Amino acid sequence: NDEMIMVGEFTNYKNEGYGLCDDGNLYHGSSVNYKKYYDQRLKHKDEIIMHLDMIKGRLLYTINGEFIGVAYDDIDMTRDYVLAAAINCVATTVELFGEEKEEMDDNVVVDGNMN
């Protein structure tokens, strides 16, 4: 798709993206409707790790070393998605890395802690 997507529109009804915004809210299928997720505003130097379980269709976040929990647990994994990081801070670093993992059981293990 050659159509340019404006920042903030990747979670709208057309693009149906999944996002954690700097206000700590989750957005999906809307740029207006949200679900409260993290009780603080994200700020400069916060470390945000996104965990995507492609077997169970779950998206989870860790913020500054604290596992926040399951953000979404109903992601349709038969569809194609594009990873996007929209950042509006100077001197921000984005690192992308991935690991192949065996299927996760119903419990989520992050940094050796059962959640």
Side-chain angles (χ1 to χ4, degrees), residues 1 21 31 48 55 64 67 77-81 91 103 114:
N1 185 355
C21 194
S31 296
I48 301 146
I55 296 169
N64 298 324
F67 177 68
M77 297 311 300
T78 64
R79 297 186 55 194
D80 291 330
Y81 297 97
E103 182 174 347
M114 184 78 68

Side-chain angles (χ1 to χ4, degrees), residues 38-52:
Y38 186 58
D39 62 359
Q40 299 177 40
R41 186 167 199 81
L42 299 174
K43 59 193 176 309
H44 181 65
K45 295 197 177 191
D46 279 348
E47 179 184 83
I48 301 146
I49 299 174
M50 181 184 75
H51 312 269
L52 177 61

